[in-house]
Amino acid sequence: MCVSSPRTEFAVNHQPATMTAVETRLCELLLREHFGELVSRAGTHLVHMGPQPLRLVALGTGLNLDQVKKALCVLLQHGMASFKTGKRGVSGPTWVEYTADCAAMLRMLRYTRYVYCAKTLYGDAGELLIEETLQHGQLTMSAAVRRVADRMASTADEGKTVEYSDVAAAFTNLVNTHFLQRCLSGKEEGESEGARPEAAPMLVSNEKDMYTVPKIPLIGHGKRRLSADSDDLDAHPAKKRKVEESLPDDGIYWRVNFERFHQHFHNQAIVSAVASKMDKTAGEIVRTMLRMSELTTPPNAAFTQLLASTEIFRSLPPEYGMTKPVLDQYLSLLADDPMEFVTKSGESGGGTFIVNLLKSLKTMARCTLESIVQERFGSRAARIFRLLLQKRHLEQKQVEDFAMIPAKEAKEMLYTMVSQNFVTLQEIPKAADYAPARTFYLYTVNVEQTARFILQRCYKTVTNLIARRHHETKENKRLLEKAQRIEAILASVQASGADEAQLQEIEEMITATERQQLENLKRTVNKLDKSEMQVDETVFLLETFLQASRPQ
């Protein structure tokens, strides 16, 4: 199966036991941006303090119990917190402890990437299904299909309908490829033994049904709704609950399988690396190999399954028009390449090959670190950095000789990279007195330590980008509110059939200077958003590398 056991996925403490101040600050900003101040305070408190019962959370945050309950419900709904029961002593009272999942909070940085990935794979229906599921945390299939069909119908051309069956087919495709999976269902503790149920439910699942789509009749099509009608159910919770309880799949909830998306991102990075190193055809061959084994390879596996060259040939898209001898030549080149993304492991069936996922991840992480060093310190420093990666341990004189850089310049670069935590200096004494004359001083690169340091810098960069975007928005708040009011007036007047003169008069309520300020603000915010997404690509690569490097 593509994903690990759901019990493992919902376990506490996926992140390190102690979170850095930068990560905690980033979690606080992301929670406030997506869910508001109350959820941010409760979630940040749990990140700081660790597992705590309800009343201690209320005491530490200064919120009342109802506010804390609502905040914890939001965090639990989105998988950003978990709970477990405990007892004070053998016969003491039972209480429930809540724990924040910082890794799940940091995944909010990648939400737009998840949505875009679903759009490229499954079109508009897939995009909106993932977006709705991310917004709600958990959704039933019928509710998700109805919401997406209504949204698509509202933006479709006049006279065009969106059938529920078409959206349901996209939902089924997302489940079959494991991008969506069932949530754990709640069962009261002691239910099976006939004992008195405890206050907290026990989450259980049947792994066989994790990707089984229920057969429910979805007949009809999306409806265009006015704004007043679209908010009708939200304004009447009882009515909304009655509609949802009447659905045939009530109680079967689905959530986004983030590990599957991460596996897809990793595969895409491998394909891009091979295509840039060799050519596009080699990249498509590796893409085919990854696609053949994507559902049978666990997320943390070091290799894909064995693939015979004849199987790869049959699975290649016919539009490439590649012959078997040409494929064998490409596979031989890939297997002999120093990057070692593809490894040959046997001769049966024309040769069997695997994609070395762990090796490819380490290679891409090292290339990323080399690129950062080059951008930060220059090409000569990058040459020294690559040399240390290849030779492992070198003295200063050896660095000067191998890199062919003057002694003074090499010494300055080495000391600069040591001070910036990119290079490590090790002392190996010949005697116990550690005398400088009888001590070897070796320079080396600890890849994991450097990656961890760069990852923290990336978190700090994203935190600064989000804070800057909030500052820009706050500084222009009055202007943005004015522009929104004018846009609402324009939409209302256009709906009533106003002439061009009236529309022009309303548009002139914003002066040329204000329009220029709005354009500058839009340009700045777009630049900050793009920078945030680009930094997150580096964050994802380094996070995946560090996770794979941990001892299992």
Side-chain angles (χ1 to χ4, degrees), residues 225-279:
R225 293 183 178 181
L226 298 175
S227 59
D229 296 332
S230 62
D231 297 334
D232 183 52
L233 293 179
D234 294 331
H236 300 83
K239 183 177 179 181
K240 178 179 179 181
R241 195 180 308 113
K242 183 177 180 181
V243 170
E244 290 184 349
E245 289 176 354
S246 64
L247 297 175
D249 62 338
D250 181 46
I252 303 176
Y253 288 90
W254 300 84
R255 69 182 186 95
V256 174
N257 183 5
F258 297 105
E259 288 190 358
R260 179 66 181 89
F261 273 102
H262 294 169
Q263 183 187 27
H264 180 76
F265 296 156
H266 182 198
N267 293 348
Q268 291 295 103
I270 293 175
V271 172
S272 299
V274 173
S276 62
K277 178 70 183 299
M278 299 182 68
D279 60 11

Side-chain angles (χ1 to χ4, degrees), residues 382-399:
R383 190 194 310 172
I384 295 175
F385 192 81
R386 282 192 293 269
L387 184 64
L388 292 174
L389 287 174
Q390 293 173 1
K391 302 294 185 179
R392 301 292 182 90
H393 297 85
L394 289 176
E395 293 184 273
Q396 182 176 320
K397 185 66 170 64
Q398 292 175 312
V399 171

